[in-house]
Amino acid sequence: MNVVMIGSGYVGLVSGACFAEFGANVTCVDKDESKINALLNGEIPIYEPGLDELVARGVAANKLSFSLDLEQAVGEADLVFIAVGTPTRRGDGHADLQYVYAAAEEVATYLKGYTVIVDKSTVPVGTARQVSRLVSAANPDADYDVASNPEFLREGSAIDDFMRPDRVVLGVESERAEASLRELYRPLNLIEAPIHVTNLESAELIKYASNAFLATKISFINEISQLCEKVGADVHSIAKGMGLDGRIGKKFLHAGPGYGGSCFPKDTLALIRIAQEHGCSSRIVESVVEVNASQKARMVSKIREALGGSEADKTIAVLGLTFKPETDDMRDSPALAILPALADKGAVINAHDPEGVKEAKPLLPTTINYCDSIDEAVKSADAVVLMTEWNQYRGLDLARLKETMNGNVFVDLRNVYEKGMMEEAGFEYCCVGR
Ligand code: UGA
């Protein structure tokens, strides 16, 4: 099958490389010439474990190529995926669909033979239908169907999520479109991955509802973590005790500094807007967003308290900046809310992150010192704040750490360490909800 992936960002590149691995002939098209040139030179513009090898394998097998020429690629395609960005529109929280619609109109004029145009980007309910209207208006003779195939990839484990999905959601309106998409995903039959076929609007809403529900679990446990601190309960144990109930499930119940990233913050806001537009309330999701913001603020107070009530002139070593490990993505990372608040009050911040420093620099105060090693970051620090649970930070040499630091405060915002062990090693230890 010939597949075109429009947009060589995170979703487009991962999906394109994975479809090529499935055996499809994939052309990734992007308007950004420098990006395409870099990809043609074997350079991967994002950090995602395993993606470089997967891309290289696809290219070597002649299954994956990169091009600026949309016309030629679309002319030969059975399926055209739209995987362009849908940033939050400035000011109103709506997903900005201008790139999706521009891509649809351009594709329309290049269609040859029956083609399925598939929305892969996370888009508000009704977008696929609007794409269909635009294509018909631009090319009334086109033989096509529109489909919605949302992605459920997590950064850092996107390839595994693609290859071993919990489900594939197909929003379709015709048997032809369904057959074409089923054929593309056929390699997943071997592992019996469920294929959930539904209509366009349901597929679009499944994506938002899923992300909002996962965000709800996180805000829920974060709120409980606050109560745990007051009553002397342990949030880890609470999450375990809850999660053993199969109806609840143990995943996404880790308390921490609040969720971040390019998806939950954007998609919860977009869902609230979609509900508003249709005259529906979304009080639960609104609370989820509020609780998340207050959790980040609560982390600032926690660090301040651990430092004896003031962070002024204290040196804080921050381990981890990205919103989660195994990514260089800084979008809506809790660090972006927590570090400026500390720096504002006069803290000296030494930050370390294995992959995120380049992305972090333009987003954080210029006073922050970036360090190449953990040792450099913790040298003479009054406190260490573990912000992101990178593997490098899970097995710190505690004796050496204690010796290198000036103080002995350890604030563990990801609950990686055990209190007893840290106190034995001489630290004043605090974490989230334990
Ligand atoms: C999320 C979803 O998990 C994917 O299914 C979805 O496809 C993706 O958004 C998307 O819409 O593209 P992602 O943002 O990459 O994936 O990362 P997650 O692993 O879901 O983590 C999101 C945030 O929640 C991180 O800041 C993480 O630290 C936080 N989190 C997660 C917690 O605080 N506690 C948890 O128990 C789990």
Side-chain angles (χ1 to χ4, degrees):
M1 300 189 94
N2 291 337
V3 171
V4 170
M5 192 61 65
I6 305 179
S8 298
Y10 190 80
V11 172
L13 199 53
V14 171
S15 307
C18 288
F19 282 139
E21 183 80 1
F22 283 178
N25 300 309
V26 181
T27 310
C28 292
V29 182
D30 204 290
K31 284 205 178 314
D32 183 342
E33 199 172 335
S34 61
K35 196 185 261 181
I36 291 295
N37 285 337
L39 285 163
L40 286 169
N41 286 327
E43 292 160 27
I44 308 293
I46 48 168
Y47 176 74
E48 176 65 32
L51 186 58
D52 42 2
E53 292 120 70
L54 195 69
V55 168
R57 201 154 60 227
V59 171
N62 267 331
K63 289 284 173 193
L64 181 63
S65 58
F66 304 99
S67 172
L68 292 160
D69 188 348
L70 186 64
E71 180 167 6
Q72 195 197 344
V74 168
E76 295 166 359
D78 301 298
L79 295 122
V80 176
F81 283 83
I82 301 180
V84 298
T86 55
T88 301
R89 206 161 64 191
R90 228 179 289 162
D92 63 6
H94 280 280
D96 186 346
L97 296 173
Q98 59 169 316
Y99 305 108
V100 173
Y101 291 150
E105 284 179 321
E106 206 180 340
V107 165
T109 57
Y110 303 146
L111 292 173
K112 282 195 192 126
Y114 176 69
T115 314
V116 188
I117 301 171
V118 195
D119 276 341
K120 193 87 181 138
S121 310
T122 301
V123 288
V125 182
T127 303
R129 216 161 282 286
Q130 176 63 8
V131 163
S132 183
R133 278 192 284 270
L134 291 172
V135 173
S136 284
N139 182 355
D141 299 327
D143 184 15
Y144 76 98
D145 275 308
V146 167
S148 165
N149 173 217
E151 55 83 16
F152 302 98
L153 311 175
R154 285 165 304 169
E155 289 185 25
S157 49
I159 292 166
D160 200 50
D161 287 348
F162 199 100
M163 296 295 182
R164 265 178 282 280
D166 286 337
R167 79 306 208 182
V168 172
V169 172
L170 304 179
V172 290
E173 294 218 290
S174 78
E175 282 176 14
R176 268 208 298 183
E178 180 182 338
S180 191
L181 279 157
R182 277 190 185 275
E183 175 60 19
L184 180 64
Y185 279 104
R186 196 162 46 86
L188 292 180
N189 291 351
L190 204 62
I191 54 163
E192 294 178 10
I195 308 274
H196 178 58
V197 179
T198 184
N199 67 10
L200 297 176
E201 287 75 11
S202 302
E204 289 168 338
L205 194 50
I206 284 170
K207 170 68 196 227
Y208 283 107
S210 300
N211 272 0
F213 191 79
L214 292 171
T216 302
K217 286 186 90 173
I218 298 169
S219 275
F220 182 88
I221 203 67
N222 281 340
E223 197 161 69
I224 293 289
S225 76
Q226 191 173 3
L227 185 58
C228 284
E229 288 170 16
K230 299 278 184 222
V231 302
D234 177 345
V235 77
H236 245 238
S237 175
I238 306 278
K240 188 169 179 195
M242 286 169 64
L244 286 169
D245 184 331
R247 294 170 302 176
I248 298 173
K250 61 181 185 200
K251 292 182 180 164
F252 279 73
L253 285 179
H254 295 290
Y259 60 77
S262 65
C263 304
F264 290 170
K266 177 163 77 77
D267 292 351
T268 43
L269 288 182
L271 183 56
I272 293 168
R273 294 288 172 262
I274 294 167
Q276 266 169 5
E277 271 175 17
H278 291 84
C280 296
S281 71
S282 46
R283 286 188 308 222
I284 293 178
V285 187
E286 282 169 23
S287 308
V288 166
V289 172
E290 262 174 51
V291 169
N292 197 51
S294 59
Q295 184 73 357
K296 291 177 183 173
R298 204 164 78 77
M299 297 303 108
V300 177
S301 313
K302 188 182 275 295
I303 295 164
R304 181 173 303 142
E305 225 169 86
L307 280 164
S310 167
E311 61 270 52
D313 300 323
K314 298 277 170 56
T315 300
I316 304 176
V318 174
L319 302 184
L321 296 169
T322 51
F323 81 101
K324 63 186 268 188
E326 298 302 332
T327 177
D328 59 354
D329 200 338
M330 281 299 297
R331 284 176 287 179
D332 268 308
S333 172
L336 298 181
I338 297 169
L339 267 51
L342 297 171
D344 236 27
K345 290 277 193 292
V348 177
I349 297 177
N350 296 338
H352 177 265
D353 190 283
E355 294 291 337
V357 169
K358 185 163 160 253
E359 297 289 324
K361 272 186 184 166
L363 303 172
L364 284 169
T366 49
T367 50
I368 287 172
N369 311 310
Y370 295 93
C371 306
D372 292 330
S373 68
I374 299 176
D375 273 353
E376 190 189 333
V378 301
K379 193 161 183 272
S380 313
D382 296 294
V384 167
V385 174
L386 201 166
M387 185 81 72
T388 316
E389 69 279 31
W390 284 92
N391 280 339
Q392 292 79 330
Y393 308 145
R394 287 174 184 269
L396 294 170
D397 179 340
L398 296 177
R400 180 179 161 143
L401 175 66
K402 177 86 193 331
E403 227 167 75
T404 320
M405 286 173 68
N406 186 29
N408 68 342
V409 173
F410 195 107
V411 185
D412 180 359
L413 300 187
R414 299 287 181 169
N415 291 347
V416 167
Y417 289 93
E418 294 296 328
K419 191 177 168 72
M421 162 198 191
M422 294 305 279
E423 285 179 349
E424 217 166 277
F427 288 96
E428 266 179 56
Y429 177 76
C430 76
C431 54
V432 183
R434 305 184 80 183

